[in-house]
């Protein structure tokens, strides 16, 4: 009986259609989905298996780790380190790149990931997710070096996320549009449910943490103030604010129905110009947004053009509907 297009079928058919795709790459993606299914199961079971709450440790950024952060990180490492497809891995939760075990062949790809984005929300049942980015190793067949991971986002060969919310969804792109798959628990397969996702160029929804208003630069304050003025202001129409506090959930909403997401430059600490990590969050999400017809910028620079200076570099992020992001960029240009 025909049950629709599975993720496995879609990946294999995609490798046949596009030049440069390989069986190794298809197998890599399939292996990665195993860990996403496992992590989703742990999130949904939560307190039933004692997976909620703090682990009592901090990650490399000094943030308190949740138990599910550690469980998710370990799940991806152990699902992927034996496959022979990778030359190395880097995680938001780890100081340094993860070395592939000595007895495993070195592959031609690098995997970078945020194992559980929005994990501070797990205790209150809000959507969280896994974000991933795949790069080609500069030299295949040897251990990856730190510098190998420091590639601009435009060099990504694949990016995506798994969303653990009302359902377990996997959304990804290999540079030929964005497609979404929903896990069917009855057969244990991700099924194609959102084909060629697109972001409308205009929107009336925006996502931002308004409590930080006083810390933003003038261009962002100007933009948000205009939106809040609605029909009484220069935009002459009303806008609605949506803020989940989990990037993967906010970006998923934008991919499904449009909008603009802003986590702008924050003037409180000049050493941390942004909160979101370039390699683990900003690059993969910007790749998806651009593939869906949107724009992603720091306010002054296209995110995918940034040359990373370190594994845990942070950047401001403004992404989503083309016309709205370009308006924010224009305000920055006028201001500076």
């Amino acid at each position: 009986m025909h049950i629709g297009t599975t993720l496995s079928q879609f990946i294999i058919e995609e490798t046949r259609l596009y030049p440069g795709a390989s069986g190794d790459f298809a197998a890599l993606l399939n292996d990665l989905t195993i860990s996403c299914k496992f992590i989703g199961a742990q999130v949904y079971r939560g307190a039933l298996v004692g997976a909620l709450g703090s682990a009592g440790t901090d990650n490399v950024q000094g943030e308190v780790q949740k138990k599910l952060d550690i469980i998710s990180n370990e799940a991806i490492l152990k699902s992927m380190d034996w496959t022979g497809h990778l030359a190395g891995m880097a995680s938001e939760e780890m100081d340094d790149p993860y070395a592939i075990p000595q007895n495993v062949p070195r592959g031609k790809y690098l995997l970078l990931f945020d194992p559980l984005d929005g994990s501070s929300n797990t205790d209150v049942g809000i959507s969280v997710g896994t974000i991933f980015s795949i790069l080609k190793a500069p030299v295949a067949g040897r251990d990856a070096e730190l510098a190998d991971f420091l590639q601009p986002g435009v060099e990504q060969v694949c990016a995506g996320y798994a969303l653990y919310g009302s359902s377990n969804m996997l959304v990804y792109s290999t540079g030929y549009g964005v497609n979404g798959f929903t896990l069917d628990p009855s057969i244990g397969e991700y099924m194609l449910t959102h084909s060629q996702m697109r972001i409308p160029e205009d929107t009336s929804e925006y996502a931002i943490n308004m409590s930080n208003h006083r810390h933003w630069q003038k261009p962002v304050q100007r933009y948000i103030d205009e939106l809040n003025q609605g029909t009484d202001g220069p935009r002459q129409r009303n806008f609605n604010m949506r803020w989940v506090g989990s990037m993967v959930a906010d970006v998923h909403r934008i991919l499904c129905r449009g909008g603009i997401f802003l986590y702008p430059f924050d003037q409180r600490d000049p050493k941390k110009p942004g909160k979101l990590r370039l390699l683990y969050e900003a690059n993969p999400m910007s790749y998806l947004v651009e593939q869906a017809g949107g724009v992603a910028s720091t306010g002054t620079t296209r995110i995918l053009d940034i040359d990373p200076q370190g594994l845990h570099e942070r950047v401001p992020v403004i992404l989503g509907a083309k016309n709205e992001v370009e308006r924010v960029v224009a305000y920055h240009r006028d201001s500076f």
Side-chain angles (χ1 to χ4, degrees), residues 48-75:
L48 297 175
V49 292
L52 299 184
S54 170
T57 56
D58 294 345
N59 65 12
V60 63
Q61 287 88 24
E63 300 165 335
V64 175
Q65 288 181 307
K66 296 289 187 177
K67 293 177 183 177
L68 278 168
D69 282 319
I70 297 173
I71 292 170
S72 302
N73 191 66
E74 191 70 10

Side-chain angles (χ1 to χ4, degrees), residues 46-304:
L48 297 175
V49 292
L52 299 184
S54 170
T57 56
D58 294 345
N59 65 12
V60 63
Q61 287 88 24
E63 300 165 335
V64 175
Q65 288 181 307
K66 296 289 187 177
K67 293 177 183 177
L68 278 168
D69 282 319
I70 297 173
I71 292 170
S72 302
N73 191 66
E74 191 70 10
I76 296 174
L77 293 176
K78 296 310 177 186
S79 291
M80 302 304 297
D81 68 0
W82 62 273
T83 64
H85 306 312
L86 298 172
M89 288 185 275
S91 167
E92 182 183 299
E93 295 297 325
M94 302 173 65
D95 293 17
D96 302 308
Y98 177 85
I100 303 299
Q102 287 299 320
N103 61 332
V104 176
R106 272 54 179 160
K108 55 185 177 183
Y109 296 104
L110 305 173
L111 176 64
L112 302 89
F113 59 92
D114 178 352
L116 199 63
D117 178 71
S119 59
S120 62
N121 291 318
T122 53
D123 293 352
V124 293
I126 292 175
S127 298
V128 294
T130 298
I131 306 173
F132 61 89
S133 168
I134 300 173
L135 299 164
K136 279 191 175 181
V139 181
R142 68 155 169 80
D143 287 321
E145 301 173 354
L146 173 60
D148 296 343
F149 294 91
L150 305 183
Q151 301 180 41
V154 72
E155 297 296 332
Q156 293 172 107
V157 296
C158 178
Y161 61 82
L163 177 74
Y164 316 121
S166 58
S167 58
N168 183 330
M169 281 196 67
L170 188 94
V171 177
Y172 86 99
S173 175
T174 56
Y176 301 98
V178 180
N179 293 283
F181 303 79
T182 303
L183 182 64
D184 182 346
S186 68
I187 60 173
E189 286 280 359
Y190 285 105
M191 307 299 298
L192 179 63
T193 52
H194 297 64
S195 182
Q196 290 297 311
M197 303 169 79
R198 300 294 294 175
I199 300 173
E201 293 185 353
D202 296 296
T203 186
S204 293
E205 285 191 349
Y206 65 101
I208 196 167
N209 185 347
M210 279 296 296
S211 67
N212 292 327
H213 183 283
R214 67 193 184 279
H215 302 299
W216 301 331
Q217 293 178 314
K218 295 297 182 184
V220 174
Q221 289 179 339
R222 173 189 171 187
Y223 174 72
I224 296 299
D225 289 345
E226 289 180 357
L227 301 190
N228 289 337
Q229 289 165 23
T231 55
D232 298 327
R235 302 299 300 273
Q236 298 184 330
R237 60 190 177 97
N238 292 323
F239 289 78
N240 293 318
M241 190 184 86
R242 300 286 185 266
W243 180 253
V244 179
S246 170
M247 186 190 191
V248 68
D250 280 311
V251 172
H252 183 70
R253 183 184 60 252
I254 290 171
L255 284 168
C256 288
R257 72 183 196 199
I260 179 173
F261 170 93
L262 304 95
Y263 216 120
F265 183 90
D266 190 317
Q267 301 181 93
R268 280 175 290 185
D269 185 352
K271 296 179 181 177
K272 295 180 180 178
K275 181 180 185 296
L276 300 174
R277 287 77 177 176
L278 176 62
L279 295 179
Y280 310 109
E281 296 164 318
N283 271 346
M285 291 307 205
S286 296
Y287 186 85
L288 290 173
V289 165
E290 287 200 5
Q291 283 295 312
V295 174
S297 173
T298 65
T300 58
T301 304
R302 180 189 181 211
I303 289 174
L304 295 183

